[in-house]
Amino acid sequence: MSDQFDLSLEIDLVFKLSKSFDTLKHSYINKSYLVFEGSFWKVVFKKWMKYVILEKGSKFPYILKKRNFSLSLQIIDNIEIQELNKRWLNKSSSTDVLSFPIVDEDYKFADLDFIELGDLFVSYEKALSQSLEQNHSIQFEILWLVSHGFLHLLGWEHSDQKDLDDMINFQHYLISQLDLENESLLTF
């Protein structure tokens, strides 16, 4: 398996924090947490893509043959996510995570050397609220939400309980592959 794990992957990531994040006063959020750093996410997505390829974790087989991927992740506030939800999904409420995948079964650019996966948006306010409700860290909650949105970018859906259970199990698997206790997570 180590030979397979020597997959040479490139991740082009656009990472942004909401401007309102700078004024956040919640004592529960330490702005130095790695989940608020683009370099952290680049490493995480690279590791997750390796596991997706090894485990055939995409619903679109052509993705599994690629080695160059692009996506964006923005951590935003409830107002921003509500505006996106209303504009693009015609839902007037805020939500915890939104995914806007570009790839699908009819993806017209599958012959390119890279795959643009799409855009992810996470509400840090919802993440904070849910982390308190679930009694775990905001870092874990943001990882959980991003892993969920990431799988949507790869074609995962949860239209029934079995699909949801499969998706949740794969999210657990992806997160478990990260050595979150080890500061060297940022290295390969």
Side-chain angles (χ1 to χ4, degrees):
M1 174 113 98
S2 63
D3 288 354
Q4 289 180 318
F5 213 72
D6 290 338
L7 296 172
S8 176
L9 295 179
E10 291 298 322
I11 300 290
D12 179 28
L13 174 67
V14 174
F15 176 79
K16 291 184 181 178
L17 283 174
S18 171
K19 290 179 183 171
S20 67
F21 187 78
D22 292 335
T23 62
L24 189 63
K25 300 284 192 259
H26 293 294
S27 60
Y28 295 106
I29 297 182
N30 180 340
K31 294 178 187 174
S32 67
Y33 288 152
L34 289 177
V35 294
F36 301 120
E37 297 292 330
S39 57
F40 170 81
W41 287 109
K42 191 165 185 172
V43 171
V44 168
F45 286 128
K46 193 171 188 178
K47 287 185 178 194
W48 284 353
M49 275 310 300
K50 286 183 179 187
Y51 286 106
V52 163
I53 290 168
L54 291 172
E55 301 295 332
K56 299 183 178 30
S58 173
K59 303 302 179 184
F60 309 122
Y62 60 85
I63 288 178
L64 303 175
K65 298 174 186 162
K66 300 297 179 178
R67 298 298 177 259
N68 297 307
F69 303 92
S70 179
L71 71 153
S72 76
L73 169 60
Q74 292 188 44
I75 299 178
I76 60 179
D77 63 31
N78 281 343
I79 293 170
E80 292 168 298
I81 209 161
Q82 183 176 3
E83 289 170 357
L84 289 169
N85 209 14
K86 177 68 174 161
R87 180 174 183 183
W88 297 106
L89 300 176
N90 204 27
K91 296 179 181 178
S92 58
S93 61
S94 63
T95 188
D96 51 7
V97 61
L98 287 174
S99 299
F100 296 101
I102 293 177
V103 295
D104 62 16
E105 61 275 348
D106 299 322
Y107 189 63
K108 305 292 187 238
F109 305 102
D111 58 335
L112 294 177
D113 291 339
F114 70 94
I115 296 284
E116 172 63 43
L117 296 174
D119 303 311
L120 297 173
F121 299 88
V122 173
S123 166
Y124 63 79
E125 292 169 313
K126 284 282 191 186
L128 175 60
S129 168
Q130 291 172 184
S131 71
L132 294 172
E133 289 170 14
Q134 299 293 322
N135 199 28
H136 55 238
S137 71
I138 189 167
Q139 301 97 297
F140 180 83
E141 185 66 23
I142 290 175
L143 273 167
W144 182 257
L145 295 173
V146 171
S147 69
H148 188 84
F150 179 66
L151 290 179
H152 278 302
L153 295 183
L154 297 171
W156 288 70
E157 294 297 330
H158 43 80
S159 53
D160 61 36
Q161 190 61 47
K162 182 191 178 319
D163 288 347
L164 179 60
D165 291 344
D166 290 346
M167 191 172 187
I168 287 171
N169 288 336
F170 202 66
Q171 283 179 251
H172 280 293
Y173 172 73
L174 290 177
I175 292 171
S176 75
Q177 300 309 305
L178 303 175
D179 185 3
L180 297 176
E181 302 301 317
N182 187 348
E183 286 297 319
S184 67
L185 173 66
L186 290 174
T187 62
F188 272 100

